[in-house]
Amino acid sequence: MKSYFILGMCFLFLVQYFVHFHWLQYMLAILAIIAFLGSITLARSVPRIFSIIMFVAGLVFTKLKGQGIDAVTQGITSNLPLLTLLVLVPLLSIPFKMGGFFDSILLYLKRYQNSPRKMFMGVTTVLFFLGPILNIGSIRIVHELLKDLRLNATFLSKAYLVGFSTTILWSPYYAAVGIVLLYLHVSIGTYMTYGFGVAVLFLLVGNVMFGIWTKKQSVKKENDQSEIITPDHQKRIKMLPFVIFSLMLVTIITESITHWSMLVLVSLLAIIFPVIWGVFSREWITLKQHLVDYREKAVPIMNNEIIMYISAGFFGASLKGTSFGHEINIFMINLSHISFLLFALFILITMVAVTFVGIHQVVVVTVLATQMDPIMLGTTKEILAMLLMLAWSTSSILSPVNPINLLVSSLVKKSSIEVGIRDNGLYLLIVCTIGITFLTFFH
């Protein structure tokens, strides 16, 4: 029942985006409040506490500004585009499951189980391509494919986080990119010039560093496994990047023509793509089963995300026009005028620090992005978006309570501190140095 309610709210948002009926805005706010209250008791303790605080603070700030029900409604629904994206994007994985792409990936990776550098490149590249479509689920899927190969835990820790961290930097299907572009009003086409290039650079850096690490560890000599690669598997592997980049291209071109929200476009594509796949494959029974699994397993577990995104959006909207929000803006402007490098380090360190104690990045990004004016800061909105994404990616790996870090640590059976700092700390230090230098130069 809860899944139907959440999906209904998302579909109603998509309808409201195009028809603009005022009463639909009120209905969406009511549905969002019900979803918030229904998820609050099922969420983890830290997200629950911060979500309640932000929601109450949003009500207080809105009241102090003398605003009425319209302001409350807009604040509560401000992050619904992002929440809709988060809920619907897993639908994109269904055609890849039906098409047997994951089986082909496993077969190729098995060939390199005794070739650490090739295996590392294979895993990180697979995550680079699958991460935009499958989100954090790509790590779990790749681990399921590799679990019988008995690979080294440190190897997996490095491969999973190096590969997936690049997704956070560039993918328009990832919620982090979505919220930053939403608040800074950046076109996905212009952002991709920065995001994709930096992501590829960081992927190469991670692979080079792993090559150096393997030499120090005296790992086995490369000895590729002879696996039979059938023409069907070869075809799927060649099709995979083509299909993914075609989806990206459709999103970018449609945005440039229609000027619709990128979050809405991706959400619509997540609905349409499985249907198109079903039409051409005619495997309607299989498609139906995957849709049932999605409804029963993927949607009901999003309690933390639902309460954090709704409350953070409300809190960020309520800060606009307050003295507290004004002080944040003035502080960052003064800091950027002293030194953009100092400003960039402040954003990075702040994001890592608050995430380290359990506060989700969406809170920090919502607060900062809603109060920042790129022109007043003396930079461009694309550079500012890239800086926030670099900080988001870094904090996702380092924070011992972040879902990505926690997932990897549980899969490789190591502590989250070991996974974040010991296994990937040097990599993060180097890519952050490169990233901030790059942004400072172009700034």
Side-chain angles (χ1 to χ4, degrees), residues 91-130:
L91 288 170
L92 288 169
S93 67
I94 293 177
F96 294 98
K97 293 176 182 177
M98 294 175 62
F101 288 95
F102 298 150
D103 295 332
S104 301
I105 290 171
L106 172 61
L107 191 61
Y108 267 84
L109 291 179
K110 275 186 174 180
R111 301 180 70 192
Y112 307 126
Q113 58 183 306
N114 292 322
S115 300
R117 283 179 290 181
K118 290 183 180 180
M119 175 65 83
F120 189 87
M121 180 175 291
V123 173
T124 54
T125 303
V126 166
L127 288 172
F128 184 85
F129 284 111
L130 290 186

mmCIF file of all heavy atoms in Angstrom, residues 91-130:
data_model
loop_
_atom_site.group_PDB
_atom_site.id
_atom_site.type_symbol
_atom_site.label_atom_id
_atom_site.label_comp_id
_atom_site.label_asym_id
_atom_site.label_seq_id
_atom_site.Cartn_x
_atom_site.Cartn_y
_atom_site.Cartn_z
ATOM 1 N N LEU A 91 13.795 2.072 -12.210
ATOM 2 C CA LEU A 91 13.087 1.437 -13.325
ATOM 3 C C LEU A 91 13.993 1.269 -14.540
ATOM 4 O O LEU A 91 13.791 0.364 -15.362
ATOM 5 C CB LEU A 91 11.860 2.265 -13.711
ATOM 6 C CG LEU A 91 10.670 2.250 -12.742
ATOM 7 C CD1 LEU A 91 9.649 3.305 -13.156
ATOM 8 C CD2 LEU A 91 10.020 0.880 -12.709
ATOM 9 N N LEU A 92 15.008 2.135 -14.660
ATOM 10 C CA LEU A 92 15.915 2.058 -15.805
ATOM 11 C C LEU A 92 16.720 0.763 -15.830
ATOM 12 O O LEU A 92 17.194 0.340 -16.887
ATOM 13 C CB LEU A 92 16.878 3.249 -15.786
ATOM 14 C CG LEU A 92 16.293 4.621 -16.125
ATOM 15 C CD1 LEU A 92 17.293 5.714 -15.814
ATOM 16 C CD2 LEU A 92 15.878 4.680 -17.586
ATOM 17 N N SER A 93 16.876 0.133 -14.676
ATOM 18 C CA SER A 93 17.682 -1.088 -14.619
ATOM 19 C C SER A 93 16.954 -2.299 -15.199
ATOM 20 O O SER A 93 17.591 -3.290 -15.570
ATOM 21 C CB SER A 93 18.077 -1.385 -13.174
ATOM 22 O OG SER A 93 16.936 -1.732 -12.395
ATOM 23 N N ILE A 94 15.637 -2.231 -15.283
ATOM 24 C CA ILE A 94 14.850 -3.394 -15.709
ATOM 25 C C ILE A 94 15.217 -3.875 -17.118
ATOM 26 O O ILE A 94 15.445 -5.077 -17.324
ATOM 27 C CB ILE A 94 13.342 -3.093 -15.598
ATOM 28 C CG1 ILE A 94 12.951 -2.930 -14.123
ATOM 29 C CG2 ILE A 94 12.512 -4.190 -16.258
ATOM 30 C CD1 ILE A 94 11.498 -2.560 -13.892
ATOM 31 N N PRO A 95 15.307 -2.987 -18.117
ATOM 32 C CA PRO A 95 15.711 -3.476 -19.446
ATOM 33 C C PRO A 95 17.085 -4.135 -19.458
ATOM 34 O O PRO A 95 17.307 -5.094 -20.216
ATOM 35 C CB PRO A 95 15.700 -2.198 -20.300
ATOM 36 C CG PRO A 95 14.717 -1.303 -19.624
ATOM 37 C CD PRO A 95 14.914 -1.570 -18.166
ATOM 38 N N PHE A 96 18.019 -3.633 -18.640
ATOM 39 C CA PHE A 96 19.353 -4.223 -18.603
ATOM 40 C C PHE A 96 19.323 -5.620 -17.988
ATOM 41 O O PHE A 96 20.068 -6.510 -18.395
ATOM 42 C CB PHE A 96 20.303 -3.310 -17.825
ATOM 43 C CG PHE A 96 20.542 -2.000 -18.501
ATOM 44 C CD1 PHE A 96 19.827 -0.871 -18.123
ATOM 45 C CD2 PHE A 96 21.464 -1.884 -19.520
ATOM 46 C CE1 PHE A 96 20.033 0.343 -18.748
ATOM 47 C CE2 PHE A 96 21.691 -0.672 -20.160
ATOM 48 C CZ PHE A 96 20.962 0.440 -19.776
ATOM 49 N N LYS A 97 18.449 -5.803 -16.998
ATOM 50 C CA LYS A 97 18.288 -7.139 -16.419
ATOM 51 C C LYS A 97 17.642 -8.082 -17.432
ATOM 52 O O LYS A 97 18.075 -9.229 -17.588
ATOM 53 C CB LYS A 97 17.427 -7.059 -15.156
ATOM 54 C CG LYS A 97 18.064 -6.305 -14.004
ATOM 55 C CD LYS A 97 17.093 -6.185 -12.825
ATOM 56 C CE LYS A 97 17.708 -5.379 -11.690
ATOM 57 N NZ LYS A 97 16.756 -5.186 -10.571
ATOM 58 N N MET A 98 16.600 -7.610 -18.101
ATOM 59 C CA MET A 98 15.909 -8.436 -19.079
ATOM 60 C C MET A 98 16.797 -8.776 -20.271
ATOM 61 O O MET A 98 16.688 -9.857 -20.858
ATOM 62 C CB MET A 98 14.644 -7.721 -19.565
ATOM 63 C CG MET A 98 13.573 -7.544 -18.509
ATOM 64 S SD MET A 98 12.167 -6.558 -19.109
ATOM 65 C CE MET A 98 11.568 -7.581 -20.453
ATOM 66 N N GLY A 99 17.687 -7.849 -20.640
ATOM 67 C CA GLY A 99 18.535 -8.050 -21.808
ATOM 68 C C GLY A 99 19.751 -8.923 -21.563
ATOM 69 O O GLY A 99 20.505 -9.203 -22.503
ATOM 70 N N GLY A 100 19.973 -9.347 -20.303
ATOM 71 C CA GLY A 100 21.104 -10.220 -20.005
ATOM 72 C C GLY A 100 22.450 -9.521 -19.979
ATOM 73 O O GLY A 100 23.498 -10.175 -20.056
ATOM 74 N N PHE A 101 22.440 -8.196 -19.850
ATOM 75 C CA PHE A 101 23.696 -7.443 -19.859
ATOM 76 C C PHE A 101 24.587 -7.809 -18.667
ATOM 77 O O PHE A 101 25.809 -7.848 -18.789
ATOM 78 C CB PHE A 101 23.403 -5.935 -19.846
ATOM 79 C CG PHE A 101 22.864 -5.419 -21.148
ATOM 80 C CD1 PHE A 101 21.504 -5.292 -21.356
ATOM 81 C CD2 PHE A 101 23.718 -5.073 -22.177
ATOM 82 C CE1 PHE A 101 21.000 -4.820 -22.553
ATOM 83 C CE2 PHE A 101 23.236 -4.595 -23.385
ATOM 84 C CZ PHE A 101 21.869 -4.472 -23.579
ATOM 85 N N PHE A 102 23.979 -8.057 -17.519
ATOM 86 C CA PHE A 102 24.767 -8.354 -16.329
ATOM 87 C C PHE A 102 25.511 -9.687 -16.453
ATOM 88 O O PHE A 102 26.638 -9.834 -15.982
ATOM 89 C CB PHE A 102 23.869 -8.368 -15.090
ATOM 90 C CG PHE A 102 23.203 -7.040 -14.826
ATOM 91 C CD1 PHE A 102 21.960 -6.978 -14.216
ATOM 92 C CD2 PHE A 102 23.813 -5.858 -15.196
ATOM 93 C CE1 PHE A 102 21.346 -5.759 -13.980
ATOM 94 C CE2 PHE A 102 23.207 -4.632 -14.968
ATOM 95 C CZ PHE A 102 21.968 -4.584 -14.358
ATOM 96 N N ASP A 103 24.898 -10.666 -17.097
ATOM 97 C CA ASP A 103 25.568 -11.947 -17.326
ATOM 98 C C ASP A 103 26.797 -11.775 -18.210
ATOM 99 O O ASP A 103 27.842 -12.396 -17.975
ATOM 100 C CB ASP A 103 24.598 -12.943 -17.979
ATOM 101 C CG ASP A 103 23.438 -13.304 -17.078
ATOM 102 O OD1 ASP A 103 23.621 -13.254 -15.843
ATOM 103 O OD2 ASP A 103 22.353 -13.615 -17.595
ATOM 104 N N SER A 104 26.670 -10.936 -19.214
ATOM 105 C CA SER A 104 27.793 -10.682 -20.120
ATOM 106 C C SER A 104 28.921 -9.958 -19.397
ATOM 107 O O SER A 104 30.109 -10.254 -19.609
ATOM 108 C CB SER A 104 27.319 -9.849 -21.320
ATOM 109 O OG SER A 104 26.299 -10.520 -22.033
ATOM 110 N N ILE A 105 28.562 -9.024 -18.525
ATOM 111 C CA ILE A 105 29.579 -8.306 -17.742
ATOM 112 C C ILE A 105 30.350 -9.279 -16.860
ATOM 113 O O ILE A 105 31.582 -9.225 -16.772
ATOM 114 C CB ILE A 105 28.905 -7.213 -16.890
ATOM 115 C CG1 ILE A 105 28.392 -6.079 -17.786
ATOM 116 C CG2 ILE A 105 29.882 -6.662 -15.846
ATOM 117 C CD1 ILE A 105 27.536 -5.069 -17.056
ATOM 118 N N LEU A 106 29.638 -10.177 -16.198
ATOM 119 C CA LEU A 106 30.286 -11.160 -15.333
ATOM 120 C C LEU A 106 31.261 -12.022 -16.117
ATOM 121 O O LEU A 106 32.383 -12.281 -15.668
ATOM 122 C CB LEU A 106 29.236 -12.044 -14.660
ATOM 123 C CG LEU A 106 29.781 -13.238 -13.866
ATOM 124 C CD1 LEU A 106 30.674 -12.767 -12.732
ATOM 125 C CD2 LEU A 106 28.636 -14.091 -13.334
ATOM 126 N N LEU A 107 30.872 -12.439 -17.293
ATOM 127 C CA LEU A 107 31.729 -13.302 -18.101
ATOM 128 C C LEU A 107 33.027 -12.585 -18.466
ATOM 129 O O LEU A 107 34.115 -13.183 -18.421
ATOM 130 C CB LEU A 107 30.977 -13.724 -19.374
ATOM 131 C CG LEU A 107 31.617 -14.837 -20.203
ATOM 132 C CD1 LEU A 107 31.730 -16.108 -19.378
ATOM 133 C CD2 LEU A 107 30.811 -15.091 -21.473
ATOM 134 N N TYR A 108 32.924 -11.313 -18.804
ATOM 135 C CA TYR A 108 34.125 -10.555 -19.145
ATOM 136 C C TYR A 108 35.019 -10.336 -17.926
ATOM 137 O O TYR A 108 36.244 -10.448 -18.004
ATOM 138 C CB TYR A 108 33.746 -9.216 -19.769
ATOM 139 C CG TYR A 108 33.671 -9.264 -21.279
ATOM 140 C CD1 TYR A 108 32.513 -9.697 -21.918
ATOM 141 C CD2 TYR A 108 34.762 -8.922 -22.057
ATOM 142 C CE1 TYR A 108 32.433 -9.756 -23.294
ATOM 143 C CE2 TYR A 108 34.695 -8.984 -23.446
ATOM 144 C CZ TYR A 108 33.534 -9.403 -24.063
ATOM 145 O OH TYR A 108 33.476 -9.477 -25.431
ATOM 146 N N LEU A 109 34.420 -10.030 -16.790
ATOM 147 C CA LEU A 109 35.215 -9.799 -15.589
ATOM 148 C C LEU A 109 35.922 -11.071 -15.129
ATOM 149 O O LEU A 109 37.037 -11.011 -14.596
ATOM 150 C CB LEU A 109 34.328 -9.244 -14.472
ATOM 151 C CG LEU A 109 33.791 -7.818 -14.662
ATOM 152 C CD1 LEU A 109 32.913 -7.426 -13.492
ATOM 153 C CD2 LEU A 109 34.931 -6.824 -14.823
ATOM 154 N N LYS A 110 35.277 -12.212 -15.304
ATOM 155 C CA LYS A 110 35.890 -13.478 -14.892
ATOM 156 C C LYS A 110 37.207 -13.744 -15.614
ATOM 157 O O LYS A 110 38.088 -14.416 -15.082
ATOM 158 C CB LYS A 110 34.920 -14.637 -15.152
ATOM 159 C CG LYS A 110 33.919 -14.880 -14.030
ATOM 160 C CD LYS A 110 33.102 -16.132 -14.318
ATOM 161 C CE LYS A 110 32.208 -16.473 -13.138
ATOM 162 N NZ LYS A 110 31.405 -17.688 -13.401
ATOM 163 N N ARG A 111 37.329 -13.217 -16.805
ATOM 164 C CA ARG A 111 38.554 -13.443 -17.577
ATOM 165 C C ARG A 111 39.773 -12.849 -16.880
ATOM 166 O O ARG A 111 40.899 -13.287 -17.116
ATOM 167 C CB ARG A 111 38.426 -12.815 -18.967
ATOM 168 C CG ARG A 111 37.272 -13.350 -19.802
ATOM 169 C CD ARG A 111 37.228 -12.665 -21.147
ATOM 170 N NE ARG A 111 38.361 -13.062 -21.990
ATOM 171 C CZ ARG A 111 38.695 -12.449 -23.119
ATOM 172 N NH1 ARG A 111 38.004 -11.391 -23.510
ATOM 173 N NH2 ARG A 111 39.705 -12.861 -23.841
ATOM 174 N N TYR A 112 39.551 -11.861 -16.032
ATOM 175 C CA TYR A 112 40.664 -11.122 -15.440
ATOM 176 C C TYR A 112 40.791 -11.331 -13.938
ATOM 177 O O TYR A 112 41.397 -10.523 -13.240
ATOM 178 C CB TYR A 112 40.498 -9.622 -15.731
ATOM 179 C CG TYR A 112 40.312 -9.313 -17.191
ATOM 180 C CD1 TYR A 112 39.218 -8.576 -17.632
ATOM 181 C CD2 TYR A 112 41.222 -9.772 -18.139
ATOM 182 C CE1 TYR A 112 39.033 -8.292 -18.984
ATOM 183 C CE2 TYR A 112 41.062 -9.499 -19.491
ATOM 184 C CZ TYR A 112 39.966 -8.758 -19.905
ATOM 185 O OH TYR A 112 39.791 -8.486 -21.239
ATOM 186 N N GLN A 113 40.252 -12.440 -13.425
ATOM 187 C CA GLN A 113 40.291 -12.631 -11.973
ATOM 188 C C GLN A 113 41.708 -12.830 -11.446
ATOM 189 O O GLN A 113 41.952 -12.637 -10.265
ATOM 190 C CB GLN A 113 39.410 -13.813 -11.567
ATOM 191 C CG GLN A 113 39.767 -15.138 -12.200
ATOM 192 C CD GLN A 113 38.789 -16.232 -11.796
ATOM 193 O OE1 GLN A 113 38.561 -16.454 -10.617
ATOM 194 N NE2 GLN A 113 38.190 -16.888 -12.767
ATOM 195 N N ASN A 114 42.646 -13.189 -12.288
ATOM 196 C CA ASN A 114 44.044 -13.284 -11.882
ATOM 197 C C ASN A 114 44.891 -12.167 -12.480
ATOM 198 O O ASN A 114 46.123 -12.243 -12.480
ATOM 199 C CB ASN A 114 44.625 -14.647 -12.285
ATOM 200 C CG ASN A 114 44.001 -15.783 -11.485
ATOM 201 O OD1 ASN A 114 43.739 -15.625 -10.299
ATOM 202 N ND2 ASN A 114 43.730 -16.904 -12.134
ATOM 203 N N SER A 115 44.241 -11.147 -12.993
ATOM 204 C CA SER A 115 44.917 -9.963 -13.527
ATOM 205 C C SER A 115 44.413 -8.744 -12.766
ATOM 206 O O SER A 115 43.448 -8.104 -13.188
ATOM 207 C CB SER A 115 44.629 -9.801 -15.023
ATOM 208 O OG SER A 115 45.081 -10.916 -15.746
ATOM 209 N N PRO A 116 45.014 -8.432 -11.617
ATOM 210 C CA PRO A 116 44.473 -7.374 -10.749
ATOM 211 C C PRO A 116 44.240 -6.040 -11.441
ATOM 212 O O PRO A 116 43.202 -5.416 -11.248
ATOM 213 C CB PRO A 116 45.535 -7.258 -9.653
ATOM 214 C CG PRO A 116 46.187 -8.589 -9.629
ATOM 215 C CD PRO A 116 46.203 -9.072 -11.042
ATOM 216 N N ARG A 117 45.209 -5.595 -12.251
ATOM 217 C CA ARG A 117 45.045 -4.289 -12.878
ATOM 218 C C ARG A 117 43.916 -4.273 -13.905
ATOM 219 O O ARG A 117 43.146 -3.318 -13.984
ATOM 220 C CB ARG A 117 46.365 -3.867 -13.532
ATOM 221 C CG ARG A 117 47.403 -3.365 -12.520
ATOM 222 C CD ARG A 117 48.689 -2.990 -13.184
ATOM 223 N NE ARG A 117 49.397 -4.166 -13.691
ATOM 224 C CZ ARG A 117 50.581 -4.107 -14.316
ATOM 225 N NH1 ARG A 117 51.165 -2.942 -14.516
ATOM 226 N NH2 ARG A 117 51.157 -5.204 -14.737
ATOM 227 N N LYS A 118 43.818 -5.354 -14.690
ATOM 228 C CA LYS A 118 42.732 -5.431 -15.666
ATOM 229 C C LYS A 118 41.386 -5.599 -14.966
ATOM 230 O O LYS A 118 40.376 -5.036 -15.406
ATOM 231 C CB LYS A 118 42.988 -6.586 -16.633
ATOM 232 C CG LYS A 118 44.148 -6.345 -17.587
ATOM 233 C CD LYS A 118 44.285 -7.507 -18.564
ATOM 234 C CE LYS A 118 45.439 -7.263 -19.529
ATOM 235 N NZ LYS A 118 45.611 -8.382 -20.495
ATOM 236 N N MET A 119 41.372 -6.396 -13.898
ATOM 237 C CA MET A 119 40.130 -6.566 -13.143
ATOM 238 C C MET A 119 39.694 -5.242 -12.528
ATOM 239 O O MET A 119 38.512 -4.882 -12.559
ATOM 240 C CB MET A 119 40.310 -7.622 -12.059
ATOM 241 C CG MET A 119 39.110 -7.786 -11.135
ATOM 242 S SD MET A 119 37.627 -8.404 -11.975
ATOM 243 C CE MET A 119 37.963 -10.161 -11.963
ATOM 244 N N PHE A 120 40.654 -4.497 -11.977
ATOM 245 C CA PHE A 120 40.345 -3.203 -11.369
ATOM 246 C C PHE A 120 39.782 -2.249 -12.411
ATOM 247 O O PHE A 120 38.776 -1.574 -12.187
ATOM 248 C CB PHE A 120 41.596 -2.605 -10.733
ATOM 249 C CG PHE A 120 41.343 -1.381 -9.896
ATOM 250 C CD1 PHE A 120 41.005 -1.512 -8.556
ATOM 251 C CD2 PHE A 120 41.432 -0.105 -10.435
ATOM 252 C CE1 PHE A 120 40.758 -0.389 -7.770
ATOM 253 C CE2 PHE A 120 41.191 1.020 -9.660
ATOM 254 C CZ PHE A 120 40.851 0.875 -8.328
ATOM 255 N N MET A 121 40.423 -2.200 -13.574
ATOM 256 C CA MET A 121 39.935 -1.342 -14.640
ATOM 257 C C MET A 121 38.545 -1.783 -15.085
ATOM 258 O O MET A 121 37.662 -0.947 -15.359
ATOM 259 C CB MET A 121 40.899 -1.367 -15.832
ATOM 260 C CG MET A 121 40.446 -0.489 -16.996
ATOM 261 S SD MET A 121 41.664 -0.424 -18.334
ATOM 262 C CE MET A 121 42.976 0.493 -17.544
ATOM 263 N N GLY A 122 38.329 -3.108 -15.142
ATOM 264 C CA GLY A 122 37.029 -3.614 -15.543
ATOM 265 C C GLY A 122 35.932 -3.245 -14.563
ATOM 266 O O GLY A 122 34.867 -2.768 -14.965
ATOM 267 N N VAL A 123 36.192 -3.430 -13.261
ATOM 268 C CA VAL A 123 35.185 -3.135 -12.240
ATOM 269 C C VAL A 123 34.871 -1.639 -12.203
ATOM 270 O O VAL A 123 33.704 -1.227 -12.165
ATOM 271 C CB VAL A 123 35.648 -3.628 -10.854
ATOM 272 C CG1 VAL A 123 34.678 -3.163 -9.766
ATOM 273 C CG2 VAL A 123 35.767 -5.147 -10.833
ATOM 274 N N THR A 124 35.919 -0.803 -12.206
ATOM 275 C CA THR A 124 35.699 0.646 -12.131
ATOM 276 C C THR A 124 34.980 1.160 -13.382
ATOM 277 O O THR A 124 34.127 2.048 -13.298
ATOM 278 C CB THR A 124 37.024 1.402 -11.950
ATOM 279 O OG1 THR A 124 37.952 1.020 -12.984
ATOM 280 C CG2 THR A 124 37.639 1.109 -10.591
ATOM 281 N N THR A 125 35.303 0.583 -14.542
ATOM 282 C CA THR A 125 34.638 1.005 -15.778
ATOM 283 C C THR A 125 33.176 0.584 -15.790
ATOM 284 O O THR A 125 32.294 1.347 -16.211
ATOM 285 C CB THR A 125 35.362 0.421 -17.003
ATOM 286 O OG1 THR A 125 36.735 0.818 -16.986
ATOM 287 C CG2 THR A 125 34.719 0.906 -18.297
ATOM 288 N N VAL A 126 32.906 -0.630 -15.314
ATOM 289 C CA VAL A 126 31.516 -1.102 -15.235
ATOM 290 C C VAL A 126 30.700 -0.190 -14.324
ATOM 291 O O VAL A 126 29.571 0.203 -14.654
ATOM 292 C CB VAL A 126 31.472 -2.558 -14.725
ATOM 293 C CG1 VAL A 126 30.050 -2.940 -14.313
ATOM 294 C CG2 VAL A 126 31.963 -3.514 -15.807
ATOM 295 N N LEU A 127 31.258 0.181 -13.166
ATOM 296 C CA LEU A 127 30.557 1.080 -12.252
ATOM 297 C C LEU A 127 30.394 2.475 -12.861
ATOM 298 O O LEU A 127 29.391 3.156 -12.624
ATOM 299 C CB LEU A 127 31.307 1.165 -10.924
ATOM 300 C CG LEU A 127 31.219 -0.080 -10.041
ATOM 301 C CD1 LEU A 127 32.143 0.038 -8.842
ATOM 302 C CD2 LEU A 127 29.792 -0.318 -9.574
ATOM 303 N N PHE A 128 31.383 2.890 -13.639
ATOM 304 C CA PHE A 128 31.309 4.191 -14.305
ATOM 305 C C PHE A 128 30.105 4.244 -15.237
ATOM 306 O O PHE A 128 29.427 5.272 -15.336
ATOM 307 C CB PHE A 128 32.594 4.426 -15.094
ATOM 308 C CG PHE A 128 32.681 5.771 -15.762
ATOM 309 C CD1 PHE A 128 33.148 6.878 -15.069
ATOM 310 C CD2 PHE A 128 32.285 5.945 -17.079
ATOM 311 C CE1 PHE A 128 33.232 8.129 -15.674
ATOM 312 C CE2 PHE A 128 32.360 7.183 -17.694
ATOM 313 C CZ PHE A 128 32.841 8.272 -16.993
ATOM 314 N N PHE A 129 29.823 3.124 -15.923
ATOM 315 C CA PHE A 129 28.703 3.084 -16.866
ATOM 316 C C PHE A 129 27.380 2.701 -16.209
ATOM 317 O O PHE A 129 26.325 3.219 -16.575
ATOM 318 C CB PHE A 129 29.004 2.101 -17.998
ATOM 319 C CG PHE A 129 29.972 2.630 -19.015
ATOM 320 C CD1 PHE A 129 31.248 2.097 -19.121
ATOM 321 C CD2 PHE A 129 29.625 3.658 -19.859
ATOM 322 C CE1 PHE A 129 32.147 2.586 -20.054
ATOM 323 C CE2 PHE A 129 30.513 4.167 -20.796
ATOM 324 C CZ PHE A 129 31.786 3.623 -20.891
ATOM 325 N N LEU A 130 27.432 1.764 -15.236
ATOM 326 C CA LEU A 130 26.192 1.316 -14.609
ATOM 327 C C LEU A 130 25.722 2.247 -13.498
ATOM 328 O O LEU A 130 24.525 2.334 -13.218
ATOM 329 C CB LEU A 130 26.367 -0.094 -14.031
ATOM 330 C CG LEU A 130 26.502 -1.246 -15.019
ATOM 331 C CD1 LEU A 130 26.515 -2.584 -14.277
ATOM 332 C CD2 LEU A 130 25.374 -1.234 -16.043
#
